Amino acid sequence: MQKLYKSTIFLLLLSFQIGFAQRPAKPTSVEIYHQIQKLNFLGSVLYIAAHPDDENTRLISYLSNDKKARTGYLSLTRGDGGQNLIGTELRELLGVIRTQELIEARKIDGGEQFFSRANDFGFSKNPTETLEIWDKNQVLSDVVWAIRKFQPDVIINRFDHRSPGTTHGHHTASAMLSLEAFDLVNDKTIYPEQLKYVSTWQPKRIFFNTSWWFYGSKEKFEKADKSTQTKLNIGTYYQSLGKSNQEIAALSRSCHQSQGFGNTGTRGEEDEYLEFLKGEKLNDNTNLFEGIDTSWNRVQGGKTIGDILNAVEKNFDFKNPSASIPELVKAYSLIQNLSDKHWKEVKTEEIKKIIAACAGLYFEAIADVQEITPDSPLKIKLEVINRSSIPMKLTGIGAIPTYETKEKKIIDLKNNVPFTETTSLNLNNTIDYTNAYWLNQVGTDGMYRVDEQEKIGLPDVIRQVTVGFWIEILGVEIPFDRKVVYKYNDDVKGEVYQPLDIVPVATSTIAEKVYIFNNDRSKTVTVKVKAGKDKIAGNVKLQLPENWSVSPTEIPFSLDRKGEEVLAVFNVSPSKEISEIEIKSIVTIDNQVFDKQKIDINYTHIYKQMVLKPAVANAIRLKIKTKSEKIAYIMGAGDEIPKSLQQMGYEVEIIKAEAISAEKLSSFDVVITGIRAYNVVNALAYKQKILLDFVKNGKTMIVQYNTLDDLVSKEMAPFPLKISRDRVTEEDAEVRFLAPNHPVLNYPNKITIDDFKGWKQEQGLYYPSEWDKAFTPILSANDTGEKPKDGALLIAKYGKGNYIYTGLSFFRELPEGVSGAFRLMANMIAIGK
């Protein structure tokens, strides 16, 4: 029998959806002056590494803020394979979060952000493995593309290309590809398809940003010969800002919240070292731009511009920045005549921002809704104000993707008198949904698929709805544009900005990621359908293989209000055979099919993100026996294992470490700690005796992996246990049973080698390397060419109970529906029964 449950949710009233306050830039006189200084510097540096958080923010801030260079960071991946300390998002959703964290970091340190299409597939021990999983040719082409597009004079690698196997394989690969690209970017026969959009380019020199870490210790680094290295004192104190360079860098570094990289700023002199690799050597080891004209004389026709802008910098009036506008407008006009397309484009955008800032020229395009569907009218409130005495006119307004709707106007913008207007824009039915563009197509384990050359490397979500404003200043018409955003007032946070999202007419979400069928009985599968606009009606159904069945075949629904939701409940019966399948939710409205789920990512340190993914779940028909254990789960850095345990039929309660007591634990059979719990949950430091007494009295404790740094308790286990960096990254590595007769491999499920087939990303990580003889090692495996790692699963009797430590990556395998991981977890929970 079909079931429908309605719950009305109005997006405009959702207090928990308050996004990061992405307010328009309103620079101070000091910040404007800083921008003018950068306007007068025509030199650039590209920093290259593998992941978000690999970048040296001290050096990026120094190059951008002290040297005034245009500074970019090319991260080959978006950090999708890491862990998440602030939530449960993993894989591509984590990549979306870390992308935004990098964008916020660059806003602080003054750099620009770029990426390649490489997917962070997880830890790799050497670049050979990395480049086998990545498509080396594609990633190399992306590095060449980034260099040709950015045109850096200097490239700096974070990692050493000569030391494979000493660090993450992605790290070494990033340096190898960067060095290879250095020799290719000026060759017209290399990736010639790029030359439709960019020209060839040759950087002057390339460096390796070395440090004591690469030498093994500070003592070894101090003794090393540094005569061929460039030393930069990056400890600048910016008096006008009241901050040291390291303090700015720390603020930037602290944007990496999902990785737990909050950083404390320092002050005083500090050196960075750059080892020359290739190109034109330096005579002056303190000047990265030796032999490069970084003045306006660098470009043909630039001398006059330089004379004007140097005078603007020299005569800048901090009390009246608008006094610089006449000369800035002159320079803007001359920049439009430059034959150098690269510097024309870069400096045009820079000077437009400065002119607007000097004039207090403010633009805003505010939508009346945060989400809208294609082929819908959108109301936009426009505001323009000139807060200077310089005469200006608003000569036109237009909405894009194209400026075809440009409306000519002649409106005098008098000093501090705002112009406001409400207009309506009809979005056509071909406009793209808002999404992380690199997720729109199906890629591979190692690569995202982006076919459009001009999109490759763009850091952010591509938002199409933009309003252009044409302003005439002293007889010169200058176009400005602003993305259309949504703004509202929150009673606590005040003015809150969110992006405008283009959403499907309907989206659907299957309640669970994984459904476990360990017998022939059917299970209910609930689908939530959400309206993207008012008054929709249609049907929702589940798509399954023929040997599975679902009842009813489809469920009709109707929703009156945008944001309203309805729940459709189906009964799914499994196949007779053991199988793993995909359940797909399909919504049909007026013969249109909608098969996406919408995921909102809301954290206060980044801009609100919306991700569209296929509306699917995994279902597994397997032979698994479970007992009726009651489990207490202590969350660590964030995982979704409790949901998987509930799917297995266990009663699971998530408890706070602070609430742990002998009385609280008395009703549980098993305690499981989440990933990195002993790294991030401080309360475990003084609750450990209670937990170990729980084991001693006949119960079971399962501790999942922790890193070896910053453990809150050295007595994590009842017996000595030393965590290492050992891991098995090859998910299909051969697994050997060290204790084949141990109950954990035999009861209630017989575990075989087949249970380790189909694992995702890795087998496990941070295995113990040393342990007390009280522990029994159960499994052994190793990556190709390495010695066996025996610490993946350790079990010890303690008193009447059992203590289990495991580095196996259950936090990845269970949400992905890996059947063998479920069977082994059931045996671990049942240990001692």
Side-chain angles (χ1 to χ4, degrees):
M1 176 174 149
Q2 70 183 46
K3 299 179 183 178
L4 291 173
Y5 305 92
K6 282 193 178 182
S7 61
T8 303
I9 299 179
F10 299 105
L11 290 177
L12 304 188
L13 302 180
L14 287 181
S15 61
F16 64 82
Q17 285 198 336
I18 296 171
F20 177 71
Q22 189 75 12
R23 305 178 189 278
K26 299 173 184 176
T28 65
S29 292
V30 168
E31 291 167 332
I32 295 170
Y33 181 70
H34 181 76
Q35 291 175 14
I36 292 171
Q37 289 179 307
K38 295 195 73 167
L39 184 64
N40 278 325
F41 191 93
L42 278 70
S44 53
V45 180
L46 184 62
Y47 199 90
I48 298 179
H51 310 107
D53 71 47
D54 283 346
E55 80 275 25
N56 184 339
T57 54
R58 298 182 305 276
L59 190 53
I60 289 176
S61 176
Y62 170 78
L63 293 167
S64 177
N65 297 305
D66 186 292
K67 293 304 179 185
K68 308 298 186 292
R70 185 179 180 224
T71 308
Y73 174 44
L74 172 58
S75 174
L76 296 193
T77 76
R78 296 176 184 266
D80 327 74
Q83 282 82 53
N84 184 359
L85 292 184
I86 60 174
T88 59
E89 297 90 351
L90 291 174
R91 296 301 306 150
E92 65 271 20
L93 296 183
L94 178 58
V96 169
I97 292 171
R98 298 188 71 189
T99 291
Q100 292 302 313
E101 290 177 337
L102 272 184
I103 290 171
E104 294 304 321
R106 298 294 80 78
K107 291 176 185 177
I108 293 171
D109 59 36
E112 299 177 45
Q113 186 59 52
F114 309 101
F115 295 96
S116 82
R117 289 171 290 178
N119 189 341
D120 179 6
F121 56 82
F123 191 87
S124 173
K125 293 182 177 178
N126 60 73
T128 301
E129 179 192 24
T130 297
L131 296 174
E132 286 176 354
I133 298 176
W134 288 352
D135 183 322
K136 180 190 173 183
N137 183 62
Q138 282 192 18
V139 184
L140 180 61
S141 76
D142 291 356
V143 177
V144 169
W145 166 255
I147 295 171
R148 285 174 171 172
K149 192 174 181 182
F150 190 72
Q151 294 192 9
D153 299 304
V154 176
I155 294 175
I156 300 175
N157 291 342
R158 165 77 280 190
F159 299 104
D160 188 355
H161 65 284
R162 301 157 297 195
S163 55
T166 61
T167 181
H168 198 320
H170 297 183
H171 293 169
T172 311
S174 72
M176 292 167 64
L177 292 170
S178 173
L179 201 66
E180 186 173 350
F182 184 87
D183 292 330
L184 301 177
V185 291
N186 204 27
D187 187 338
K188 291 183 179 181
T189 67
I190 302 298
Y191 308 117
E193 69 279 2
Q194 297 179 2
L195 302 182
K196 179 181 177 181
Y197 309 99
V198 294
S199 60
T200 57
W201 179 251
Q202 185 56 59
K204 199 78 167 180
R205 49 187 67 96
I206 184 170
F207 296 93
F208 158 45
N209 182 196
T210 189
S211 71
W212 69 264
W213 188 86
F214 295 96
Y215 284 73
S217 69
K218 291 181 180 180
E219 292 74 17
K220 290 180 180 179
F221 185 58
E222 287 175 1
K223 296 176 181 178
D225 179 12
K226 305 184 189 66
S227 59
T228 60
Q229 297 180 7
T230 297
K231 183 172 76 171
L232 303 175
N233 181 358
I234 53 88
T236 306
Y237 173 61
Y238 304 107
Q239 293 189 25
S240 59
L241 301 177
K243 293 184 179 70
S244 70
N245 186 69
Q246 300 97 314
E247 287 171 322
I248 293 173
L251 293 172
S252 171
R253 186 75 171 168
S254 297
C255 289
H256 296 298
Q257 292 188 21
S258 65
Q259 292 300 102
F261 282 142
N263 205 254
T264 300
T266 59
R267 291 144 293 280
E269 293 186 352
E270 185 175 345
D271 294 327
E272 284 287 343
Y273 291 88
L274 304 178
E275 180 187 343
F276 174 81
L277 297 178
K278 194 177 287 188
E280 190 174 301
K281 289 186 177 181
L282 293 174
N283 294 314
D284 177 1
N285 272 345
T286 63
N287 180 14
L288 292 184
F289 295 95
E290 182 181 280
I292 303 167
D293 189 345
T294 57
S295 73
W296 277 98
N297 294 333
R298 177 172 190 162
V299 295
Q300 185 178 359
K303 184 180 184 307
T304 304
I305 300 170
D307 291 342
I308 294 171
L309 293 178
N310 285 322
V312 168
E313 181 179 340
K314 181 179 179 181
N315 300 319
F316 184 74
D317 186 344
F318 287 86
K319 293 183 178 180
N320 180 24
S322 64
S324 298
I325 292 176
E327 295 302 296
L328 287 168
V329 171
K330 285 182 186 178
Y332 169 84
S333 296
L334 292 171
I335 289 172
Q336 305 318 299
N337 297 325
L338 290 177
S339 58
D340 188 314
K341 292 181 180 180
H342 172 74
W343 285 113
K344 175 183 176 181
E345 180 181 335
V346 170
K347 294 303 177 182
T348 292
E349 291 306 308
E350 288 183 9
I351 200 168
K352 282 165 59 175
K353 290 178 182 178
I354 293 169
I355 291 170
C358 285
L361 189 56
Y362 181 84
F363 306 94
E364 203 166 68
I366 302 298
D368 65 336
V369 292
Q370 196 269 312
E371 294 183 348
I372 191 167
T373 59
D375 203 19
S376 299
L378 176 66
K379 286 186 178 180
I380 305 173
K381 182 181 179 182
L382 306 174
E383 178 184 344
V384 186
I385 186 169
N386 166 27
R387 289 171 286 185
S388 75
S389 59
I390 304 296
M392 297 186 190
K393 293 179 181 179
L394 175 64
T395 59
I397 296 176
I400 55 175
T402 67
Y403 281 124
E404 294 173 0
T405 56
K406 178 182 177 183
E407 177 186 355
K408 290 186 177 180
K409 294 179 178 291
I410 302 294
I411 296 171
D412 287 328
L413 296 176
K414 297 179 181 179
N415 183 13
N416 213 30
V417 178
F419 165 79
T420 60
E421 179 179 273
T422 299
T423 187
S424 183
L425 171 66
N426 284 313
L427 300 180
N428 60 47
N429 59 10
T430 61
I431 191 168
D432 293 334
Y433 297 135
T434 301
N435 201 24
Y437 70 90
W438 57 95
L439 300 179
N440 284 336
Q441 299 185 80
V442 177
T444 65
D445 288 343
M447 299 297 298
Y448 285 120
R449 181 178 173 185
V450 181
D451 294 334
E452 301 93 331
Q453 182 66 56
E454 289 182 291
K455 288 184 180 179
I456 293 173
L458 295 178
D460 208 350
V461 173
I462 299 169
R463 300 187 183 276
Q464 296 173 279
V465 187
T466 305
V467 172
F469 301 87
W470 284 260
I471 308 295
E472 184 183 299
I473 307 174
L474 302 174
V476 177
E477 188 178 68
I478 303 176
F480 298 88
D481 60 74
R482 292 293 182 270
K483 298 292 183 187
V484 176
V485 297
Y486 173 67
K487 180 177 75 171
Y488 69 98
N489 183 72
D490 176 76
D491 290 342
V492 175
K493 296 190 176 183
E495 187 177 61
V496 176
Y497 286 83
Q498 290 182 338
L500 173 68
D501 289 331
I502 313 300
V503 302
V505 169
T507 54
S508 62
T509 304
I510 302 175
E512 302 293 339
K513 287 185 177 180
V514 179
Y515 290 87
I516 302 297
F517 295 81
N518 56 7
N519 53 47
D520 293 334
R521 289 195 295 270
S522 65
K523 282 196 170 189
T524 59
V525 174
T526 302
V527 177
K528 179 172 64 179
V529 181
K530 185 173 184 178
K533 68 176 186 179
D534 293 343
K535 298 188 182 305
I536 66 171
N539 297 293
V540 57
K541 65 180 181 180
L542 294 181
Q543 181 177 291
L544 302 97
E546 290 183 358
N547 57 346
W548 289 60
S549 61
V550 59
S551 176
T553 55
E554 63 179 25
I555 298 176
F557 70 90
S558 63
L559 294 167
D560 294 329
R561 300 289 299 274
K562 171 184 176 180
E564 191 178 357
E565 297 174 346
V566 63
L567 301 180
V569 180
F570 297 88
N571 288 305
V572 173
S573 298
S575 64
K576 299 295 183 182
E577 310 83 30
I578 293 175
S579 59
E580 298 182 15
I581 63 128
E582 184 178 84
I583 302 174
K584 187 173 186 179
S585 169
I586 297 177
V587 176
T588 304
I589 301 172
D590 296 331
N591 296 319
Q592 281 189 288
V593 172
F594 301 92
D595 60 358
K596 294 288 190 292
Q597 67 167 319
K598 184 170 80 70
I599 302 167
D600 289 325
I601 299 175
N602 287 290
Y603 292 101
T604 56
H605 69 299
I606 59 174
Y607 214 3
K608 175 185 175 292
Q609 298 296 297
M610 182 189 91
V611 178
L612 293 175
K613 293 178 60 180
V616 298
N618 292 325
I620 308 173
R621 174 66 169 98
L622 50 71
K623 292 180 179 178
I624 182 172
K625 297 177 182 178
T626 59
K627 296 299 180 180
S628 57
E629 289 87 357
K630 186 177 179 182
I631 299 170
Y633 199 92
I634 303 168
M635 292 297 291
D639 59 58
E640 294 187 326
I641 290 179
K643 291 182 179 180
S644 299
L645 296 174
Q646 289 169 340
Q647 271 294 314
M648 295 170 71
Y650 295 112
E651 183 180 349
V652 182
E653 181 180 338
I654 297 176
I655 64 173
K656 296 279 189 182
E658 292 81 359
I660 293 173
S661 67
E663 182 181 3
K664 176 70 175 176
L665 296 182
S666 62
S667 63
F668 295 99
D669 303 293
V670 180
V671 168
I672 302 178
T673 61
I675 61 172
R676 298 178 69 175
Y678 284 90
N679 296 124
V680 300
V681 183
N682 291 325
L684 287 175
Y686 55 88
K687 297 292 185 177
Q688 190 62 11
K689 184 179 185 303
I690 299 173
L691 290 169
L692 294 180
D693 284 346
F694 171 82
V695 179
K696 196 173 185 178
N697 292 330
K699 304 295 182 72
T700 298
M701 183 175 182
I702 300 172
V703 176
Q704 296 182 83
Y705 96 92
N706 295 271
T707 65
L708 64 167
D709 301 316
D710 301 321
L711 290 167
V712 300
S713 174
K714 293 182 179 180
E715 298 178 355
M716 183 172 52
F719 307 106
L721 183 75
K722 184 177 180 181
I723 299 172
S724 73
R725 297 187 185 276
D726 286 352
R727 60 177 78 205
V728 178
T729 63
E730 297 172 11
E731 59 269 26
D732 57 353
E734 177 192 2
V735 175
R736 299 171 293 275
F737 293 167
L738 300 176
N741 296 322
H742 195 283
V744 79
L745 295 178
N746 293 278
Y747 180 82
N749 304 287
K750 178 67 175 178
I751 302 300
T752 71
I753 298 302
D754 288 342
D755 287 302
F756 291 91
K757 292 180 179 178
W759 283 50
K760 309 295 183 183
Q761 185 163 322
E762 64 206 358
Q763 280 189 8
L765 61 170
Y766 291 99
Y767 292 171
S769 58
E770 298 177 20
W771 50 85
D772 190 87
K773 62 182 180 180
F775 285 102
T776 300
I778 305 298
L779 305 172
S780 179
N782 55 272
D783 289 326
T784 303
E786 294 191 349
K787 294 180 179 179
K789 306 289 190 300
D790 298 343
L793 181 59
L794 302 174
I795 303 177
K797 287 291 294 183
Y798 181 61
K800 299 177 182 179
N802 290 275
Y803 176 94
I804 301 176
Y805 188 93
T806 181
L808 293 171
S809 58
F810 288 105
F811 74 104
R812 296 198 192 280
E813 312 312 321
L814 298 185
E816 290 287 341
V818 177
S819 58
F822 281 98
R823 287 163 46 81
L824 180 57
M825 177 59 77
N827 284 16
M828 291 162 58
I829 291 170
I831 195 78
K833 299 295 187 294

